[in-house]
Amino acid sequence: MRKLVALVAGAAVVWRVVTSRRKPPEPRVVVGYGDGTIVTLEPGSPERELLVDAAAEALRP
């Protein structure tokens, strides 16, 4: 039983280290139009950065 508890504790520590090293995901920007078409803006494009900044400002408390 002690070995199982130690194994689970070790796995939890490893999981915490692995997940803490990931950088946060980039915000995804998808623009939808009334006719059903969509456009996904790639990271680094000026239009995407403007929309991300506007959305972040609008969502601030």
Side-chain angles (χ1 to χ4, degrees), residues 2-53:
R2 287 183 185 176
K3 288 182 182 180
L4 179 61
V5 171
L7 180 63
V8 169
V13 169
V14 169
W15 179 258
R16 179 72 176 162
V17 169
V18 168
T19 58
S20 68
R21 291 185 181 176
R22 292 183 195 168
K23 67 177 189 175
E26 290 282 328
R28 188 171 177 196
V29 177
V30 178
V31 180
Y33 295 97
D35 64 356
T37 58
I38 61 169
V39 175
T40 303
L41 300 175
E42 297 295 322
S45 67
E47 296 84 5
R48 179 188 178 279
E49 301 306 320
L50 287 172
L51 286 173
V52 169
D53 291 342

